[in-house]
Structures are given as structure tokens and as C-alpha cells.
Amino acid sequence: MNLRPCIHVLLLIAAPFAAAQESARQWLTDMNAAFSGLSYDGVFSFYSGSDLASLRIVHMVVDGEQRERLVHLNGAPREIVRSGEDVACIMLPGDELLELEANIPAGPFARAFIRRYDQISAHYGFDFFGEDRVAGRSAVRLAVSPLDEDRFGYRLWLDKETRLLLRSELIDADGQRLEIFQFNTLRLGDEVTAQALEPASYQGEIRSYLHLAAKPAVPVQTPDVEWHTSWVPAGFVMATADVRRRPDNLASINTMMYSDGLAAFSVFIEDMPKAGAASMVSRSGATVAVTHLTPGPENREHLITVVGELPTDTAQRIAQSIEFRSQL
Amino acid sequence: MSEKLKEAVSAAVDDEADEFELRRVLDEVHKDAGLKLAWERYHLVGAVLREERLTPDRGLRERVWAELEFSAETDKSVVLPEPAEPVADAPASRLNRLTGLAVAASVALAVVLVGWNFTSTPDSAPAVVAVQDSSPGFVEAEVSAGNATITQAMVTDQDQTRLTALMLAHAQNRGMSQPGLAAFTKMVTYQRR
């Protein structure tokens, strides 16, 4: 039997497929570059499970330093401004986010190591699926589909001219949309003024700061203690690891973040609180949080919390795989 | 034991009783050994009907008492009798101490996983208790599946706050590690449910 015609047919199918994969990776790389390199000022909608929010984002590179401003347009007035590696969150007294802040582990953030888009094709497939119009601009649609059940998929609308992300949908295995991000209006390039980067001044405003530490990401390790993740989905690598403290009681929390280049999850390890449930699952849109109890140093119970944009089963499997290993 | 009381116990076991009725039934169950047996038998029958393999949880009733006492601290309009026996609190059963019937004030959209820390085999689906958004009082709990010992967990406001805070900490992790502030969107749009 002559296989040559079959091979020809296969080549005819495979060649454009490979070209699409290559081209898609390039579009994703360009999308990232557009996010950090372009000047833009726009209003976008964000839908996550049950809530629809409106925000304004302004971005510019000023004297080689990235400057950004994110403004919450509905409800409580909140702004986040960034100059290089310093991020400030501006709120007003009485904001419920302020109450929650006492519970958010604080500390310097280690610089993350995020995989490049040319390394993610082992875990996602890419398909262009036509063109569309978003915020009055022409967009190319790109589907990013997971090749296993341990991550979600994405539909991206990329600006034809600048490759900036104009709309994205995060979708689960059933095709359900868990999150939607979409620009409604957008100004680009010279239309953006540095003045738009200045936060509004609010009477009695409260600022809190986040700082990106200069130190590189290292595994969480002290001479005789190590927490170890014995299973993570294929392609996920550790992006950061550091030790934070809870602002209210100064309890230390080991924090690690893993990423496959698109999706990410964080692991938090702390002494089991005196009161509380041991096993919980809470989901908000695409983000799931699961907890698991495991023995740690001196056989004390530790509470493991995995938070990420992941299917629930995957997050649970990760949480249950975390072990303490004494180095003694 | 009156038929009416039996019906009330049955409704309580099936989660069909309102909070007031539940308190009354628990009061009666405490006083009456026959009702205690009925309480446990109805739980077992319910589990068989739901095709669950259930280990009757004799501590359940006591824990419900403990939880009701807890919620009564903020609800002085209901006078509760003293429980007849203390709630078991062996140091070795820390996990069990943390579990109880899902009584929680304003637990928002938490899905509580139970069983998988206890006796579930690797292949068995964990029993899931979906705790719905609710005002203080009993939270509707629905046990969905599982080969595991059925134990219903309690999620407090503190637990939910802790989880929400860590969700935002994850958003910060993402935000600090990628270009564009878009990852901070989840933080900026935070709303207490």
C-alpha cells in the first residue's frame, strides 16, 4: 500500500496547525510586551462569578519605569498605583477591604519566575477562531485550551494593531465562563497623558504599600525544616517562595506560588488556628481556595491552604500532596 | 412517645424543621431515651435512602447542642436548658471537635468538604456539604455523595474571612509578578458577600 498520499494529507493538515501554534505563542508574547510597554488608558468591565465591576486602568512607561494606576469605579473608592516595584493601595476609612487587610499575610514579595509563553504548548493547545470588535477596535480571537483536566481554558481577544488584550474569558471544562474581562473604552499612545497616572485625592485616605523584594525566589527552607509539594500538575513550577506574617497576630505563613505560564496557584502553610474548620472549599469565579490539615514541625498540625485559578479537584490534590520533611 | 413528636424528630433529621422547632425537638430528645434512639435511627434510615454508607454519629446530637448554645450567646430570646452531658473533647479528636452540624452565622457561599480527612479511600468522592448564603441560624446542608463517614463541618465567619484574605493574597502574588495591574482587579473589586 502506498502511504505517500496519506503522508501528504497529514502534512497538509499538520503544517498549518504547527504554524498556528507558533503564531499563537508569538501573539501571547506580544500581548505581554504590549501590557508592559504601551501607553494605555481605558475603562474595563470585570465579571467574576456573581459580580460585575467597572475599573479604569492607566499605564505608561516614564523614564524607563513602569507607572500604573487602577481605579475602582463602583462602590467603595479604591485605587492602586504602581511606580516600578512599589505598589500602593489607597482606600478610605471604613472600607471593608481595610478590615480584611489585617488577615492578609504581609511581607516583601519575592520576584516571581514566570515561564515564558514558548514553554507552555505542552499543556495548552492554541486555535485562532476568527475576528471580532471590542471597544471599537478590531480584534483577533484566540482560544487557549488545556490539554488535561488540571487547568482552565481561555478565550482571548487581542487588538489587531497593538496586540493588547481587549477581552478575555476564563472557561472551565464544560465551557462555562468563570471570569470575563473586557475593555469598554480605550485610548492608546499619545492620547494618554502622565496626568492620568496621578491618584485622585481623597479626604482622610489611607495608603498601604506592597514592595517587590530584590532577592530572587528561593525554596522555603530553614536549616531543619522543609515543606514539600509532592504533586503539582505537569508544567507548574515554583515562581516565588517567602515567609509572610499576618498583620494582626504576626503569625508566620510560608507562602509559595506556582505557575504554568498562564495559570497560577499559591500555597499558604501556617499553624492550625485555635478554632476553625479543617477542611473547606470556597470558590469565587475562577478562584478556588481549599484547606487541608497536615502534621508539621514537632508533629503540630498545620493548615495548608491552596488558592488558585484551578479546578477544585486539582486544588485538593495539590493540598493533600504537601508534606513536611525534617532535614535532621 | 407521641406521633407528633416522632414527626418532628423526622423533620429535624431531614433538615425540614425550622430553627425553633429544631430547638424544641432537641430539648425533647435530651429528656427522652426513646426519642434519642429514634433520632439516631432516622439518621440511619435517611442515609440508607440517600444510598450513603453511614457510621451513625452518636456525638452528633451533643454537638448540635453545643452549636445551638454557641449561637444562643447572641440570641438571648431563646432560653436553652443545660445539656445533660458535656461535649466530648478528647485531645486526640481535634478534627472531630472542629466538626459539628453546619450551624453558622452568615456563612457565605462556602462549600465545606468533609470526610476526606477521616475515612475516605483515595478513590471515593469526598462528601460535600454545600453551605448556602444564610442569615444566622441553621444553614441548609446537603450531603451529596461519598463513601466516607458522614461528618458535617462547621465553617465560621473567621474561617471565611481567612479564606477570602488568602484569596486576595494570591491576587497580590499574581499582581506583583506580572506586567499590568489587571491581576489586582480581584483585590480592588473585593466586596463582602
Side-chain angles (χ1 to χ4, degrees), chain B residues 113-145:
Chain B
L113 256 192
V114 294
W116 58 300
N117 254 330
F118 304 87
T119 58
S120 59
T121 58
D123 292 330
S124 69
V128 175
V129 180
V131 182
Q132 298 166 354
D133 197 5
S134 149
S135 51
F138 259 81
V139 174
E140 288 240 355
E142 207 180 284
V143 179
S144 74

PDB file of all heavy atoms in Angstrom, chain B residues 113-145:
ATOM      1  N   LEU B 113     -15.970  20.727  52.619  1.00  0.00           N
ATOM      2  CA  LEU B 113     -15.626  19.365  52.301  1.00  0.00           C
ATOM      3  C   LEU B 113     -15.487  18.597  53.585  1.00  0.00           C
ATOM      4  O   LEU B 113     -14.796  19.015  54.486  1.00  0.00           O
ATOM      5  CB  LEU B 113     -14.261  19.343  51.635  1.00  0.00           C
ATOM      6  CG  LEU B 113     -14.261  19.138  50.159  1.00  0.00           C
ATOM      7  CD1 LEU B 113     -12.863  18.847  49.742  1.00  0.00           C
ATOM      8  CD2 LEU B 113     -15.160  17.981  49.777  1.00  0.00           C
ATOM      9  N   VAL B 114     -16.143  17.494  53.666  1.00  0.00           N
ATOM     10  CA  VAL B 114     -15.987  16.692  54.863  1.00  0.00           C
ATOM     11  C   VAL B 114     -15.675  15.259  54.483  1.00  0.00           C
ATOM     12  O   VAL B 114     -15.896  14.853  53.362  1.00  0.00           O
ATOM     13  CB  VAL B 114     -17.252  16.735  55.740  1.00  0.00           C
ATOM     14  CG1 VAL B 114     -17.485  18.112  56.282  1.00  0.00           C
ATOM     15  CG2 VAL B 114     -18.438  16.259  54.944  1.00  0.00           C
ATOM     16  N   GLY B 115     -15.178  14.533  55.434  1.00  0.00           N
ATOM     17  CA  GLY B 115     -14.970  13.109  55.190  1.00  0.00           C
ATOM     18  C   GLY B 115     -13.578  12.792  54.694  1.00  0.00           C
ATOM     19  O   GLY B 115     -12.960  11.865  55.158  1.00  0.00           O
ATOM     20  N   TRP B 116     -13.044  13.586  53.820  1.00  0.00           N
ATOM     21  CA  TRP B 116     -11.789  13.196  53.169  1.00  0.00           C
ATOM     22  C   TRP B 116     -10.612  13.229  54.111  1.00  0.00           C
ATOM     23  O   TRP B 116      -9.571  12.676  53.821  1.00  0.00           O
ATOM     24  CB  TRP B 116     -11.540  14.014  51.910  1.00  0.00           C
ATOM     25  CG  TRP B 116     -11.493  15.482  52.095  1.00  0.00           C
ATOM     26  CD1 TRP B 116     -12.476  16.264  52.581  1.00  0.00           C
ATOM     27  CD2 TRP B 116     -10.416  16.353  51.798  1.00  0.00           C
ATOM     28  NE1 TRP B 116     -12.076  17.563  52.601  1.00  0.00           N
ATOM     29  CE2 TRP B 116     -10.822  17.651  52.116  1.00  0.00           C
ATOM     30  CE3 TRP B 116      -9.136  16.165  51.271  1.00  0.00           C
ATOM     31  CZ2 TRP B 116     -10.010  18.756  51.952  1.00  0.00           C
ATOM     32  CZ3 TRP B 116      -8.332  17.273  51.093  1.00  0.00           C
ATOM     33  CH2 TRP B 116      -8.768  18.557  51.433  1.00  0.00           C
ATOM     34  N   ASN B 117     -10.759  13.859  55.257  1.00  0.00           N
ATOM     35  CA  ASN B 117      -9.698  13.815  56.257  1.00  0.00           C
ATOM     36  C   ASN B 117      -9.845  12.617  57.168  1.00  0.00           C
ATOM     37  O   ASN B 117      -9.009  12.360  57.990  1.00  0.00           O
ATOM     38  CB  ASN B 117      -9.778  15.065  57.139  1.00  0.00           C
ATOM     39  CG  ASN B 117      -8.676  16.015  56.811  1.00  0.00           C
ATOM     40  OD1 ASN B 117      -7.613  15.589  56.400  1.00  0.00           O
ATOM     41  ND2 ASN B 117      -8.933  17.285  56.998  1.00  0.00           N
ATOM     42  N   PHE B 118     -10.946  11.937  57.036  1.00  0.00           N
ATOM     43  CA  PHE B 118     -11.285  10.946  58.045  1.00  0.00           C
ATOM     44  C   PHE B 118     -11.100   9.535  57.524  1.00  0.00           C
ATOM     45  O   PHE B 118     -10.036   8.958  57.679  1.00  0.00           O
ATOM     46  CB  PHE B 118     -12.712  11.195  58.541  1.00  0.00           C
ATOM     47  CG  PHE B 118     -12.899  12.594  59.054  1.00  0.00           C
ATOM     48  CD1 PHE B 118     -13.253  13.623  58.192  1.00  0.00           C
ATOM     49  CD2 PHE B 118     -12.659  12.895  60.375  1.00  0.00           C
ATOM     50  CE1 PHE B 118     -13.388  14.913  58.657  1.00  0.00           C
ATOM     51  CE2 PHE B 118     -12.789  14.192  60.847  1.00  0.00           C
ATOM     52  CZ  PHE B 118     -13.147  15.208  59.986  1.00  0.00           C
ATOM     53  N   THR B 119     -12.103   9.019  56.859  1.00  0.00           N
ATOM     54  CA  THR B 119     -12.003   7.611  56.497  1.00  0.00           C
ATOM     55  C   THR B 119     -12.159   7.363  55.000  1.00  0.00           C
ATOM     56  O   THR B 119     -12.316   6.240  54.589  1.00  0.00           O
ATOM     57  CB  THR B 119     -13.090   6.802  57.214  1.00  0.00           C
ATOM     58  OG1 THR B 119     -14.342   7.371  56.838  1.00  0.00           O
ATOM     59  CG2 THR B 119     -12.929   6.850  58.717  1.00  0.00           C
ATOM     60  N   SER B 120     -12.121   8.411  54.214  1.00  0.00           N
ATOM     61  CA  SER B 120     -12.356   8.195  52.787  1.00  0.00           C
ATOM     62  C   SER B 120     -11.182   7.452  52.160  1.00  0.00           C
ATOM     63  O   SER B 120     -10.041   7.657  52.519  1.00  0.00           O
ATOM     64  CB  SER B 120     -12.576   9.515  52.080  1.00  0.00           C
ATOM     65  OG  SER B 120     -11.449  10.330  52.258  1.00  0.00           O
ATOM     66  N   THR B 121     -11.506   6.596  51.232  1.00  0.00           N
ATOM     67  CA  THR B 121     -10.459   5.910  50.486  1.00  0.00           C
ATOM     68  C   THR B 121     -10.056   6.832  49.349  1.00  0.00           C
ATOM     69  O   THR B 121     -10.809   7.720  48.969  1.00  0.00           O
ATOM     70  CB  THR B 121     -11.001   4.593  49.910  1.00  0.00           C
ATOM     71  OG1 THR B 121     -12.116   4.921  49.099  1.00  0.00           O
ATOM     72  CG2 THR B 121     -11.416   3.645  51.008  1.00  0.00           C
ATOM     73  N   PRO B 122      -8.865   6.644  48.780  1.00  0.00           N
ATOM     74  CA  PRO B 122      -8.417   7.555  47.733  1.00  0.00           C
ATOM     75  C   PRO B 122      -9.394   7.663  46.564  1.00  0.00           C
ATOM     76  O   PRO B 122      -9.501   8.692  45.934  1.00  0.00           O
ATOM     77  CB  PRO B 122      -7.096   6.938  47.284  1.00  0.00           C
ATOM     78  CG  PRO B 122      -6.625   6.129  48.440  1.00  0.00           C
ATOM     79  CD  PRO B 122      -7.855   5.645  49.130  1.00  0.00           C
ATOM     80  N   ASP B 123     -10.110   6.554  46.306  1.00  0.00           N
ATOM     81  CA  ASP B 123     -10.988   6.563  45.127  1.00  0.00           C
ATOM     82  C   ASP B 123     -12.349   7.185  45.403  1.00  0.00           C
ATOM     83  O   ASP B 123     -13.071   7.535  44.486  1.00  0.00           O
ATOM     84  CB  ASP B 123     -11.214   5.137  44.623  1.00  0.00           C
ATOM     85  CG  ASP B 123      -9.925   4.568  44.065  1.00  0.00           C
ATOM     86  OD1 ASP B 123      -9.113   5.370  43.550  1.00  0.00           O
ATOM     87  OD2 ASP B 123      -9.738   3.359  44.155  1.00  0.00           O
ATOM     88  N   SER B 124     -12.706   7.263  46.671  1.00  0.00           N
ATOM     89  CA  SER B 124     -14.072   7.700  46.939  1.00  0.00           C
ATOM     90  C   SER B 124     -14.201   9.213  46.798  1.00  0.00           C
ATOM     91  O   SER B 124     -13.314   9.962  47.174  1.00  0.00           O
ATOM     92  CB  SER B 124     -14.478   7.270  48.346  1.00  0.00           C
ATOM     93  OG  SER B 124     -13.740   8.021  49.284  1.00  0.00           O
ATOM     94  N   ALA B 125     -15.324   9.619  46.265  1.00  0.00           N
ATOM     95  CA  ALA B 125     -15.570  11.057  46.158  1.00  0.00           C
ATOM     96  C   ALA B 125     -15.820  11.584  47.555  1.00  0.00           C
ATOM     97  O   ALA B 125     -16.478  10.941  48.354  1.00  0.00           O
ATOM     98  CB  ALA B 125     -16.804  11.292  45.293  1.00  0.00           C
ATOM     99  N   PRO B 126     -15.266  12.745  47.875  1.00  0.00           N
ATOM    100  CA  PRO B 126     -15.495  13.255  49.216  1.00  0.00           C
ATOM    101  C   PRO B 126     -16.944  13.687  49.385  1.00  0.00           C
ATOM    102  O   PRO B 126     -17.594  14.103  48.434  1.00  0.00           O
ATOM    103  CB  PRO B 126     -14.565  14.460  49.307  1.00  0.00           C
ATOM    104  CG  PRO B 126     -14.279  14.836  47.905  1.00  0.00           C
ATOM    105  CD  PRO B 126     -14.445  13.611  47.061  1.00  0.00           C
ATOM    106  N   ALA B 127     -17.434  13.540  50.595  1.00  0.00           N
ATOM    107  CA  ALA B 127     -18.777  14.028  50.873  1.00  0.00           C
ATOM    108  C   ALA B 127     -18.722  15.543  50.908  1.00  0.00           C
ATOM    109  O   ALA B 127     -17.827  16.117  51.495  1.00  0.00           O
ATOM    110  CB  ALA B 127     -19.238  13.488  52.215  1.00  0.00           C
ATOM    111  N   VAL B 128     -19.647  16.159  50.254  1.00  0.00           N
ATOM    112  CA  VAL B 128     -19.609  17.609  50.174  1.00  0.00           C
ATOM    113  C   VAL B 128     -20.845  18.196  50.831  1.00  0.00           C
ATOM    114  O   VAL B 128     -21.952  17.764  50.575  1.00  0.00           O
ATOM    115  CB  VAL B 128     -19.556  18.065  48.705  1.00  0.00           C
ATOM    116  CG1 VAL B 128     -19.633  19.578  48.618  1.00  0.00           C
ATOM    117  CG2 VAL B 128     -18.272  17.580  48.063  1.00  0.00           C
ATOM    118  N   VAL B 129     -20.633  19.122  51.689  1.00  0.00           N
ATOM    119  CA  VAL B 129     -21.759  19.835  52.270  1.00  0.00           C
ATOM    120  C   VAL B 129     -21.758  21.230  51.680  1.00  0.00           C
ATOM    121  O   VAL B 129     -20.806  21.977  51.840  1.00  0.00           O
ATOM    122  CB  VAL B 129     -21.617  19.925  53.799  1.00  0.00           C
ATOM    123  CG1 VAL B 129     -22.795  20.668  54.378  1.00  0.00           C
ATOM    124  CG2 VAL B 129     -21.518  18.547  54.403  1.00  0.00           C
ATOM    125  N   ALA B 130     -22.783  21.545  50.962  1.00  0.00           N
ATOM    126  CA  ALA B 130     -22.856  22.880  50.388  1.00  0.00           C
ATOM    127  C   ALA B 130     -23.549  23.782  51.393  1.00  0.00           C
ATOM    128  O   ALA B 130     -24.686  23.553  51.762  1.00  0.00           O
ATOM    129  CB  ALA B 130     -23.644  22.848  49.093  1.00  0.00           C
ATOM    130  N   VAL B 131     -22.846  24.768  51.864  1.00  0.00           N
ATOM    131  CA  VAL B 131     -23.416  25.676  52.844  1.00  0.00           C
ATOM    132  C   VAL B 131     -23.831  26.939  52.110  1.00  0.00           C
ATOM    133  O   VAL B 131     -23.015  27.596  51.492  1.00  0.00           O
ATOM    134  CB  VAL B 131     -22.381  26.012  53.930  1.00  0.00           C
ATOM    135  CG1 VAL B 131     -22.997  26.925  54.966  1.00  0.00           C
ATOM    136  CG2 VAL B 131     -21.892  24.737  54.594  1.00  0.00           C
ATOM    137  N   GLN B 132     -25.098  27.244  52.177  1.00  0.00           N
ATOM    138  CA  GLN B 132     -25.579  28.375  51.388  1.00  0.00           C
ATOM    139  C   GLN B 132     -25.498  29.674  52.164  1.00  0.00           C
ATOM    140  O   GLN B 132     -25.445  29.675  53.376  1.00  0.00           O
ATOM    141  CB  GLN B 132     -27.016  28.125  50.957  1.00  0.00           C
ATOM    142  CG  GLN B 132     -27.117  26.903  50.072  1.00  0.00           C
ATOM    143  CD  GLN B 132     -28.545  26.458  49.911  1.00  0.00           C
ATOM    144  OE1 GLN B 132     -29.433  26.992  50.542  1.00  0.00           O
ATOM    145  NE2 GLN B 132     -28.758  25.492  49.052  1.00  0.00           N
ATOM    146  N   ASP B 133     -25.497  30.738  51.414  1.00  0.00           N
ATOM    147  CA  ASP B 133     -25.532  32.067  51.999  1.00  0.00           C
ATOM    148  C   ASP B 133     -26.745  32.137  52.920  1.00  0.00           C
ATOM    149  O   ASP B 133     -27.827  31.769  52.535  1.00  0.00           O
ATOM    150  CB  ASP B 133     -25.671  33.094  50.870  1.00  0.00           C
ATOM    151  CG  ASP B 133     -25.294  34.465  51.366  1.00  0.00           C
ATOM    152  OD1 ASP B 133     -24.845  34.597  52.509  1.00  0.00           O
ATOM    153  OD2 ASP B 133     -25.452  35.394  50.598  1.00  0.00           O
ATOM    154  N   SER B 134     -26.549  32.620  54.134  1.00  0.00           N
ATOM    155  CA  SER B 134     -27.654  32.500  55.070  1.00  0.00           C
ATOM    156  C   SER B 134     -27.570  33.523  56.176  1.00  0.00           C
ATOM    157  O   SER B 134     -26.525  34.011  56.521  1.00  0.00           O
ATOM    158  CB  SER B 134     -27.624  31.095  55.639  1.00  0.00           C
ATOM    159  OG  SER B 134     -28.122  31.079  56.932  1.00  0.00           O
ATOM    160  N   SER B 135     -28.698  33.815  56.745  1.00  0.00           N
ATOM    161  CA  SER B 135     -28.729  34.644  57.937  1.00  0.00           C
ATOM    162  C   SER B 135     -28.404  33.734  59.112  1.00  0.00           C
ATOM    163  O   SER B 135     -28.411  32.529  58.979  1.00  0.00           O
ATOM    164  CB  SER B 135     -30.107  35.257  58.074  1.00  0.00           C
ATOM    165  OG  SER B 135     -31.044  34.228  57.981  1.00  0.00           O
ATOM    166  N   PRO B 136     -28.110  34.324  60.288  1.00  0.00           N
ATOM    167  CA  PRO B 136     -27.745  33.479  61.424  1.00  0.00           C
ATOM    168  C   PRO B 136     -28.783  32.394  61.660  1.00  0.00           C
ATOM    169  O   PRO B 136     -29.968  32.596  61.482  1.00  0.00           O
ATOM    170  CB  PRO B 136     -27.705  34.475  62.583  1.00  0.00           C
ATOM    171  CG  PRO B 136     -27.381  35.764  61.950  1.00  0.00           C
ATOM    172  CD  PRO B 136     -28.027  35.745  60.612  1.00  0.00           C
ATOM    173  N   GLY B 137     -28.305  31.255  62.059  1.00  0.00           N
ATOM    174  CA  GLY B 137     -29.213  30.159  62.321  1.00  0.00           C
ATOM    175  C   GLY B 137     -28.746  28.914  61.614  1.00  0.00           C
ATOM    176  O   GLY B 137     -27.594  28.817  61.241  1.00  0.00           O
ATOM    177  N   PHE B 138     -29.649  28.014  61.413  1.00  0.00           N
ATOM    178  CA  PHE B 138     -29.249  26.786  60.746  1.00  0.00           C
ATOM    179  C   PHE B 138     -29.017  27.003  59.272  1.00  0.00           C
ATOM    180  O   PHE B 138     -29.773  27.699  58.616  1.00  0.00           O
ATOM    181  CB  PHE B 138     -30.311  25.705  60.943  1.00  0.00           C
ATOM    182  CG  PHE B 138     -29.913  24.749  62.009  1.00  0.00           C
ATOM    183  CD1 PHE B 138     -30.094  25.073  63.331  1.00  0.00           C
ATOM    184  CD2 PHE B 138     -29.283  23.572  61.684  1.00  0.00           C
ATOM    185  CE1 PHE B 138     -29.696  24.213  64.315  1.00  0.00           C
ATOM    186  CE2 PHE B 138     -28.872  22.706  62.670  1.00  0.00           C
ATOM    187  CZ  PHE B 138     -29.076  23.018  63.991  1.00  0.00           C
ATOM    188  N   VAL B 139     -27.977  26.399  58.800  1.00  0.00           N
ATOM    189  CA  VAL B 139     -27.643  26.521  57.393  1.00  0.00           C
ATOM    190  C   VAL B 139     -28.100  25.242  56.723  1.00  0.00           C
ATOM    191  O   VAL B 139     -27.875  24.158  57.229  1.00  0.00           O
ATOM    192  CB  VAL B 139     -26.122  26.695  57.247  1.00  0.00           C
ATOM    193  CG1 VAL B 139     -25.720  26.679  55.803  1.00  0.00           C
ATOM    194  CG2 VAL B 139     -25.685  27.984  57.908  1.00  0.00           C
ATOM    195  N   GLU B 140     -28.760  25.399  55.615  1.00  0.00           N
ATOM    196  CA  GLU B 140     -29.207  24.220  54.886  1.00  0.00           C
ATOM    197  C   GLU B 140     -28.004  23.436  54.430  1.00  0.00           C
ATOM    198  O   GLU B 140     -27.105  23.970  53.807  1.00  0.00           O
ATOM    199  CB  GLU B 140     -30.010  24.648  53.651  1.00  0.00           C
ATOM    200  CG  GLU B 140     -31.351  25.189  54.014  1.00  0.00           C
ATOM    201  CD  GLU B 140     -32.460  24.379  53.390  1.00  0.00           C
ATOM    202  OE1 GLU B 140     -32.139  23.460  52.609  1.00  0.00           O
ATOM    203  OE2 GLU B 140     -33.616  24.652  53.695  1.00  0.00           O
ATOM    204  N   ALA B 141     -27.969  22.198  54.760  1.00  0.00           N
ATOM    205  CA  ALA B 141     -26.818  21.389  54.370  1.00  0.00           C
ATOM    206  C   ALA B 141     -27.280  20.223  53.526  1.00  0.00           C
ATOM    207  O   ALA B 141     -28.292  19.610  53.800  1.00  0.00           O
ATOM    208  CB  ALA B 141     -26.105  20.894  55.608  1.00  0.00           C
ATOM    209  N   GLU B 142     -26.562  19.969  52.486  1.00  0.00           N
ATOM    210  CA  GLU B 142     -26.938  18.882  51.603  1.00  0.00           C
ATOM    211  C   GLU B 142     -25.747  17.969  51.408  1.00  0.00           C
ATOM    212  O   GLU B 142     -24.726  18.384  50.872  1.00  0.00           O
ATOM    213  CB  GLU B 142     -27.377  19.472  50.265  1.00  0.00           C
ATOM    214  CG  GLU B 142     -28.355  18.588  49.539  1.00  0.00           C
ATOM    215  CD  GLU B 142     -28.745  19.229  48.233  1.00  0.00           C
ATOM    216  OE1 GLU B 142     -29.541  20.175  48.273  1.00  0.00           O
ATOM    217  OE2 GLU B 142     -28.226  18.798  47.209  1.00  0.00           O
ATOM    218  N   VAL B 143     -25.862  16.764  51.876  1.00  0.00           N
ATOM    219  CA  VAL B 143     -24.757  15.825  51.719  1.00  0.00           C
ATOM    220  C   VAL B 143     -24.903  15.173  50.358  1.00  0.00           C
ATOM    221  O   VAL B 143     -25.926  14.588  50.057  1.00  0.00           O
ATOM    222  CB  VAL B 143     -24.803  14.767  52.831  1.00  0.00           C
ATOM    223  CG1 VAL B 143     -23.681  13.773  52.657  1.00  0.00           C
ATOM    224  CG2 VAL B 143     -24.689  15.447  54.180  1.00  0.00           C
ATOM    225  N   SER B 144     -23.893  15.301  49.528  1.00  0.00           N
ATOM    226  CA  SER B 144     -24.103  14.902  48.140  1.00  0.00           C
ATOM    227  C   SER B 144     -23.626  13.501  47.814  1.00  0.00           C
ATOM    228  O   SER B 144     -24.238  12.804  47.050  1.00  0.00           O
ATOM    229  CB  SER B 144     -23.434  15.895  47.208  1.00  0.00           C
ATOM    230  OG  SER B 144     -22.050  15.710  47.241  1.00  0.00           O
ATOM    231  N   ALA B 145     -22.527  13.081  48.330  1.00  0.00           N
ATOM    232  CA  ALA B 145     -22.011  11.789  47.895  1.00  0.00           C
ATOM    233  C   ALA B 145     -20.974  11.303  48.879  1.00  0.00           C
ATOM    234  O   ALA B 145     -20.646  11.969  49.835  1.00  0.00           O
ATOM    235  CB  ALA B 145     -21.362  11.929  46.520  1.00  0.00           C
TER     236      ALA B 145
END
